[in-house]
Amino acid sequence: RVPAAPQAEAPQAPILDAAPPPRGNPQARRRALAILAVLVVIGLIVWAVFHFLLAAPAEETDDAYVAGDVVSVTARDGGQVIAIHADNTETVKAGQPLIDFDPATADVNLASAAAELARTVRATRADFSKLGETGATVVQARAVLARATDDLRRRRGAAAEGAVSGEELAHAQDQVKVAAADLNLALSQQKQSQTSVQGTTVDTNPAVLAAIAAYRRAAIIRSHMHLAAPIDGVVAQRTVQLGQQVAAGTPLMAVVPLDRVWIDANMRETQWRDLRIGQPATVT
């Protein structure tokens, strides 16, 4: 008989300390949370009342763009670009230089127009002087005709008495005819001279006015060789290049005045129902 082994004693579980009682008052916490929830609900109600009931109706859109005037700078006369004084995004003032063209041809044309104007003025003055000369010629022709007529009258009287031969009388008649023809020629020349200058002065003569207009046209073309900014703004859309040969009317660049910009807002047709001119708008 084998004696049984002694049984080991089971370990006893450690005795835990009792859990501490909860701190604070649960009822007070629940009451605070309830008050907070009520305040949040009241705030939402107040916001909804002011936003949906008391606030003025408004329409919104994200489909909007900034727009403004675009002042195009074009070549008024053809030429070769020799200088560009402003580029894209640069701010310019009205009258500030933008582009210069080669002025050589324009200078030659201007000098030629000035010479033609001077020649026309001299020619017109000569026409006025010629009118005075034709007047003197007419007076002289009248005097010659009167003298020839008197001489013919005397010779006719003498011929009646037999003191003058018929040949001498015929010669006196021829002198009258020649003097009358000279007078008619002088009157015709005087009328022709009057036609070109009558009713005018050197300054108002049609030929002089035409030459003045040609000179001004050449001067205007010469001024187009220098382009300046027409208004204050920012340079944009520059397409011209240095050395480029451009024709009249070619777009070169644009100037955008930033003091005159606006918003193009695109909305649905139903959004325009309550909108009126003059209502304030907010742009972000």
Side-chain angles (χ1 to χ4, degrees), residues 28-46:
R29 186 181 300 110
R30 286 195 295 270
R31 189 182 301 110
L33 292 176
I35 294 174
L36 180 60
V38 170
L39 292 177
V40 171
V41 171
I42 293 175
L44 292 175
I45 293 174
V46 171

Side-chain angles (χ1 to χ4, degrees), residues 21-73:
R23 298 179 180 179
N25 189 345
Q27 293 181 353
R29 186 181 300 110
R30 286 195 295 270
R31 189 182 301 110
L33 292 176
I35 294 174
L36 180 60
V38 170
L39 292 177
V40 171
V41 171
I42 293 175
L44 292 175
I45 293 174
V46 171
W47 175 85
V49 169
F50 277 95
H51 185 75
F52 294 104
L53 298 179
L54 300 181
E59 297 290 349
E60 297 181 359
T61 180
D62 292 333
D63 186 7
Y65 305 91
V66 178
D69 293 327
V70 179
V71 180
S72 179
V73 178

Side-chain angles (χ1 to χ4, degrees), residues 162-180:
V164 175
S165 63
E167 182 180 359
E168 188 175 353
L169 180 61
H171 181 70
Q173 291 175 348
D174 292 338
Q175 292 293 330
V176 172
K177 293 179 181 179
V178 172

